[in-house]
Amino acid sequence: MKETAIVYCENKFGTMDGKTANGLVRSSRKFEIVGVIDSTKVGMDSGDYLLGEKNGIPIFENLNHALEHLPSVPNQFIYGIAPSEAFLKEDERNLLFKVMEHGMNIVNPLHEFFTDDEEFIKLSKQFNITIDDIRKPAQKKDMHLFSGRILNIDTPIVAVLGTDSAIGKRTTSVLLEDALLERGLNVAFIATGQTGLIQGAKYGVAIDAIPSQFMTGEIENQIMKAYETDKPDIIIVEGQGALSHPAYISSCGIIRGSRPGAVIIQHAPKREHLGDFSYMKVPTVKSEIDLIENFSQSKVIAVTINHENMSDEELANTILEYEDDLKLPTTDALKFGCDKLITSIFDTYPNLKSKQKKVLFN
C-alpha cells in the first residue's frame, strides 16, 4: 500500500512555484496524497481547482487544520514548493519542527539539505522520523562520468524538452508514458527533477544538483540502468529548464547524456516572459526547435502546448497554426491526450508499432 502524504504549498498551489504540489495532485505512484496546505485556497478540492475535476484531495488552511480533519496523521509531509531561491523561510523551518513532533517523515525537494542541519538531525532522532533530501546527490566518488555506453544501444530515446521551466515537460512525459503503457509497450521513464522522483519514478536523478562534470554521466547511467534492468521498448526522458534559458544548463546535460533520437517540445504560447526572469522574453517555439536540432543530433517530432491563459478557441486555433507553420503534429496532452504524439513516435520508429499489444475489453 502507498504511504499517505500531505503536501505543503502555502500561497503557491496551482502556480509555477507550486509545480511539485501540482504534479503530485495530478499523479503519484509512490504516495497517497490526502491533502494540500494552502491557506489562500482553503476548503477547495485540489483537483477541481487545478484540473476542473474533483479528486477528493482537500486543501487545508494549515497543519493543525489538516490534522483536525484527517482520519489519521499522514506518514509523510512533502514540501511542495519549488522557489527559485530553493531555501526555507524561518516560519517554514518552525513548521517542519512541528511536523516532526507529530511523527511525520519529511520529503524535502529543496537544494537546502535537512540531513546536513544539526537541528533537523537532532529532532529526527528524537521523534524517530526520516528525512529524504530528494536533491541530495551521491558523493563524487560514486558519481559517473560519461562512458559512451549509451552509444551502443538501439532502444528509441525520446526527450520532452521545452521553451521555459515549469512549463509542463514532466506532465507531458508522464502522460506519454501512461499512454504508451496502455498500448502495451514496455516503457522506461527517466526523471530528471525532484517532482518526478517524488512521484515515484523508478529511474532518475535531480540533474540540477549534480556538478556539471558529472551531469552527462549521471543521466547516461540512469538510462543504462533502465536499459539493462527492464529492457524497455522505448525510453522517455524528462527535460528541465530550456536549452535557450540563460539561467539553467540542465537541458544541455540531458541532451548530451541521454542522446535522444527524437524530441517533443513543450511551449506556452501566452507566456510572455521566462518564469522568475521577467526581464527575459520566452523564445518562440521555432527558435527553440532550431536551437535543439543544431545543438544535437536529435529531431523534433512534435509540439505540445501548455494552455495557460488560453481559451479553448485560442488553443484550437494555435494547434492548427503550429501544424501549418511548423509542419509538426501539435497537441495539448492534458486536454486531448497523446494520440498524435504516439503516431509521431511510431512514424519515427516504425518497429515500435509492431510491439503494441492487443488490449482486450470485457
Side-chain angles (χ1 to χ4, degrees):
M1 291 180 61
K2 294 180 180 179
E3 290 194 321
T4 56
I6 191 163
V7 185
Y8 174 80
C9 197
E10 176 58 27
N11 197 34
K12 298 296 182 181
F13 186 64
T15 70
M16 288 180 63
D17 282 354
K19 66 179 184 179
T20 298
N22 303 341
L24 288 166
V25 163
R26 287 193 177 103
S27 173
S28 179
R29 296 172 183 176
K30 187 173 183 179
F31 301 113
E32 178 191 351
I33 307 302
V34 296
V36 174
I37 293 175
D38 183 345
S39 64
T40 65
K41 303 167 186 71
V42 62
M44 296 182 181
D45 179 278
S46 62
D48 193 27
Y49 180 82
L50 189 66
L51 307 168
E53 183 176 337
K54 291 185 182 296
N55 62 8
I57 301 175
I59 302 179
F60 298 108
E61 181 176 6
N62 51 40
L63 178 62
N64 288 337
H65 183 220
L67 295 179
E68 286 171 5
H69 287 82
L70 290 171
S72 60
V73 176
N75 305 116
Q76 304 282 343
F77 183 95
I78 303 173
Y79 186 92
I81 305 174
S84 58
E85 64 272 16
F87 291 99
L88 280 181
K89 300 179 178 65
E90 189 62 30
D91 61 332
E92 294 174 335
R93 184 180 177 86
N94 292 329
L95 170 63
L96 289 171
F97 293 161
K98 290 182 180 179
V99 166
M100 288 189 277
E101 289 178 17
H102 284 286
M104 299 170 65
N105 302 309
I106 294 174
V107 178
N108 168 36
L110 299 173
H111 283 294
E112 178 182 3
F113 303 138
F114 302 163
T115 52
D116 290 339
D117 187 301
E118 290 185 4
E119 202 165 6
F120 272 96
I121 294 171
K122 178 183 176 181
L123 288 174
S124 68
K125 291 178 179 177
Q126 179 180 341
F127 297 110
N128 194 31
I129 63 95
T130 62
I131 297 173
D132 188 0
D133 286 325
I134 297 297
R135 269 183 163 132
K136 193 170 187 178
Q139 294 185 31
K140 290 186 177 68
K141 67 180 180 64
D142 298 320
M143 289 184 184
H144 300 82
L145 295 170
F146 186 79
S147 69
R149 291 179 297 156
I150 198 170
L151 303 176
N152 299 317
I153 71 173
D154 56 6
T155 302
I157 299 173
V158 178
V160 181
L161 306 180
T163 54
D164 192 10
S165 59
I167 205 166
K169 298 180 291 292
R170 185 199 68 261
T171 298
T172 292
S173 299
V174 172
L175 290 170
L176 179 58
E177 178 194 13
D178 288 342
L180 288 166
L181 287 169
E182 287 178 5
R183 299 286 187 105
L185 273 72
N186 181 12
V187 186
F189 170 60
I190 312 297
T192 57
Q194 70 276 13
T195 305
L197 294 171
I198 297 172
Q199 284 177 313
K202 186 176 179 180
Y203 302 102
V205 60
I207 189 69
D208 63 358
I210 303 296
S212 59
Q213 184 177 5
F214 296 98
M215 272 188 175
T216 56
E218 285 295 289
I219 290 292
E220 179 195 41
N221 183 61
Q222 290 299 316
I223 289 175
M224 294 308 301
K225 283 172 62 177
Y227 173 76
E228 292 166 356
T229 304
D230 292 345
K231 297 180 173 48
D233 299 318
I234 183 172
I235 297 171
I236 305 297
V237 182
E238 173 196 13
Q240 294 294 324
L243 186 58
S244 62
H245 203 299
Y248 308 126
I249 62 169
S250 302
S251 285
C252 176
I254 289 167
I255 291 172
R256 292 296 198 214
S258 67
R259 300 182 65 84
V263 168
I264 294 166
I265 188 163
Q266 179 98 3
H267 182 62
K270 281 296 191 75
R271 189 179 294 188
E272 296 182 0
H273 299 92
L274 297 176
D276 296 321
F277 299 89
S278 59
Y279 50 86
M280 298 288 297
K281 288 186 176 180
V282 172
T284 65
V285 67
K286 176 65 166 61
S287 68
E288 196 73 21
I289 290 170
D290 290 343
L291 180 61
I292 290 168
E293 293 187 340
N294 284 319
F295 179 78
S296 67
Q297 296 179 341
S298 309
K299 180 69 177 174
V300 175
I301 63 168
V303 175
T304 47
I305 289 177
N306 178 327
H307 59 255
E308 63 184 25
N309 301 319
M310 299 182 76
S311 67
D312 288 345
E313 182 179 4
E314 287 174 322
L315 177 59
N317 289 338
T318 300
I319 288 173
L320 292 174
E321 175 190 333
Y322 282 15
E323 290 191 328
D324 185 52
D325 291 348
L326 302 171
K327 309 304 179 189
L328 289 171
T330 303
T331 191
D332 180 330
L334 262 178
K335 285 200 174 244
F336 305 125
C338 295
D339 286 351
K340 284 185 179 181
L341 304 182
I342 292 176
T343 297
S344 184
I345 289 171
F346 285 169
D347 288 344
T348 306
Y349 302 105
N351 290 341
L352 282 179
K353 195 168 186 178
S354 63
K355 295 186 178 183
Q356 292 183 97
K357 296 176 176 64
K358 293 182 179 179
V359 180
L360 299 178
F361 297 94
N362 292 326

